[in-house]
Amino acid sequence: MRSSYLWAMAFCLAIAAWFASGNLEALGLAKNPPVSQEASAPASKQKKQLFRVEVRRFEASLRPSVIVVRGRTELEKKITVRARTSGIVEETAVREGDHVRAGDLLCRLDMRDRKAKLAQARAQLASARRDFEAARKLARIKFASRAKLASEQARLDAAKAAVEQINQDIGWTRITSPLTGIVIRLDGERGSFLQPGQPCAVVAVFDPLLVTAQVSERDIAKIRLGQKATARLVTGETITGRVTFIAPTSDLATRTFRVEAETANPGYRLRDGITAEISFPLKPEKAHLIPAGIISLNDAGETVVRTLGKGNRVVSMPVRLIAQTRQGAWVSGLPDKADIIIAGQDYVLDGQIVEPARSPASGSDKPS
């Protein structure tokens, strides 16, 4: 009996030892634990976990640069011809739309009593001249004082001034054009009374004609006096000219600068006040034509595109938007050859390592 108990106890101990060895392995306390599948997975599996983006190489090209603004045609000079003396308009020598030359008569005022006043002034002048000559002769022989001679001299000078003033007033009754141009408004109708300063007519110069525009403060430094300007009018005509004026100060309300270009207008075929699209060509500059949808803003508010840098790291590069066309957006600020992320760029961060998928260049990134 005693030996059977011993054998039973030994058997129980053996079974307990066998279970104990299995638990140690499960707890990782065995001498040679099994290698996990995760630890033995190849490094390629980790690589596949990188975010996949599409990358395309863009190359810079010389792009003809141009500033395009809205503007209008404008008269180079417009003068309101005003009366310098009062009187009733006796004659209007022109009509609205007439071409006049400098010195041509526009309006003529009535003489009224000017001729009588002139005759009276001339008589007073003759009397003053006789009295002065007599006083001068008497002064030579000491029969007249120097004070008397000076008084007669003053009276003579006043008589001369009176005659000159009346002659000038008579001359002002003829209101003439100060320049060659077109009468665009006639205020001095026959029979109307004009006071000094009231308008008789408005004469404008149509040749040459101006094309004016307001250029932003960002672009004004690129425009130079004498450079070419092309204007496409809403009437379908295209005209060219040269920049003749750049405003030294801006408009406080719009922060823009006035620019004027002068163009020939033979036959006055172009009219004043026509809307135009004005182009100022600039020197060609290197730029990239990229899809407009890949341009974004960073936290600092800068316009950027995300590019692929060394080690497949994402690098945001600031760019300057030059122009937008149907083919895409022209930008500057990138190296001549730039690998730009064109898909997935909104889901990656600067410095992040990504898995690039190269995309061949297409017609959208080739300059037209």
Side-chain angles (χ1 to χ4, degrees):
M1 288 292 294
R2 224 177 252 183
S3 61
S4 62
Y5 287 145
L6 292 174
W7 280 106
M9 292 176 63
F11 184 71
C12 290
L13 291 172
I15 293 174
W18 181 73
F19 276 112
S21 64
N23 290 335
L24 289 174
E25 285 184 3
L27 295 173
L29 300 176
K31 290 183 179 180
N32 296 315
V35 179
S36 66
Q37 292 181 354
E38 293 181 0
S40 62
S44 62
K45 187 172 181 180
Q46 294 183 358
K47 183 177 180 181
K48 290 181 180 178
Q49 293 177 351
L50 297 176
F51 192 83
R52 190 178 179 86
V53 296
E54 186 177 355
V55 177
R56 182 183 300 168
R57 171 159 289 188
F58 292 84
E59 296 187 6
S61 60
L62 279 177
R63 176 186 179 275
S65 184
V66 63
I67 297 175
V68 180
V69 292
R70 301 285 288 182
R72 66 186 184 92
T73 58
E74 192 172 310
L75 296 173
E76 183 192 41
K77 193 177 294 184
K78 180 172 65 174
I79 294 180
T80 301
V81 186
R82 301 179 183 276
R84 304 181 70 176
T85 187
S86 61
I88 297 174
V89 179
E90 282 194 341
E91 178 187 0
T92 53
V94 295
R95 293 182 299 178
E96 291 181 353
D98 284 355
H99 177 271
V100 293
R101 296 186 178 276
D104 285 356
L105 179 66
L106 301 176
C107 303
R108 185 172 59 82
L109 306 181
D110 68 312
M111 293 292 290
R112 292 192 297 179
D113 58 348
R114 289 182 175 89
K115 290 184 178 180
K117 287 182 178 179
L118 179 60
Q120 182 181 4
R122 285 174 175 172
Q124 291 174 350
L125 174 61
S127 175
R129 183 175 287 115
R130 286 193 303 269
D131 292 344
F132 173 73
E133 292 296 333
R136 186 168 60 176
K137 290 178 181 179
L138 292 174
R140 288 176 182 173
I141 59 177
K142 308 299 183 181
F143 279 99
S145 64
R146 290 187 177 181
K148 174 66 174 176
L149 182 61
S151 176
E152 294 299 333
Q153 177 71 62
R155 196 164 70 89
L156 175 61
D157 293 341
K160 288 180 179 179
V163 172
E164 183 177 351
Q165 183 178 9
I166 295 175
N167 278 326
Q168 188 178 59
D169 190 58
I170 292 174
W172 285 344
T173 60
R174 288 178 51 86
I175 305 175
T176 59
S177 174
L179 47 79
T180 298
I182 294 178
V183 178
I184 62 174
R185 195 179 77 220
L186 185 62
D187 298 292
E189 296 291 343
R190 186 174 181 181
S192 60
F193 183 80
L194 296 183
Q195 295 277 11
Q198 289 185 323
C200 163
V202 178
V203 180
V205 176
F206 278 80
D207 186 20
L209 194 69
L210 297 181
V211 182
T212 64
Q214 297 293 131
V215 180
S216 70
E217 55 189 354
R218 182 182 60 184
D219 295 326
I220 192 63
K222 303 174 185 176
I223 298 179
R224 296 287 183 269
L225 287 173
Q227 81 172 77
K228 183 180 178 181
T230 302
R232 187 174 61 185
L233 308 183
V234 294
T235 56
E237 298 163 295
T238 299
I239 57 177
T240 59
R242 297 285 175 179
V243 175
T244 56
F245 173 75
I246 302 174
T249 58
S250 68
D251 185 308
L252 294 179
T254 61
R255 308 304 300 172
T256 56
F257 293 79
R258 178 182 172 89
V259 176
E260 297 178 359
E262 187 178 286
T263 182
N265 187 23
Y268 309 140
R269 58 187 180 85
L270 302 176
R271 300 179 182 273
D272 173 39
I274 298 177
T275 304
E277 184 181 75
I278 309 167
S279 302
F280 301 94
L282 307 176
K283 291 182 179 179
E285 60 179 327
K286 277 191 173 183
H288 293 75
L289 180 61
I290 63 175
I294 66 175
I295 301 174
S296 60
L297 295 176
N298 61 13
D299 294 338
E302 297 175 318
T303 306
V304 298
V305 294
R306 289 186 170 89
T307 63
L308 191 67
K310 292 182 179 180
N312 292 339
R313 291 184 181 275
V314 178
V315 178
S316 291
M317 299 194 68
V319 295
R320 181 175 65 88
L321 182 63
I322 299 175
Q324 284 190 334
T325 65
R326 294 180 180 178
Q327 292 76 26
W330 284 96
V331 298
S332 63
L334 297 172
D336 288 349
K337 295 181 179 180
D339 294 328
I340 302 177
I341 301 174
I342 61 172
Q345 74 278 0
D346 295 329
Y347 306 101
V348 293
L349 301 173
D350 276 4
Q352 180 179 342
I353 300 176
V354 295
E355 181 183 356
R358 297 283 175 175
S359 172
S362 65
S364 63
D365 55 270
K366 294 178 182 178
S368 58

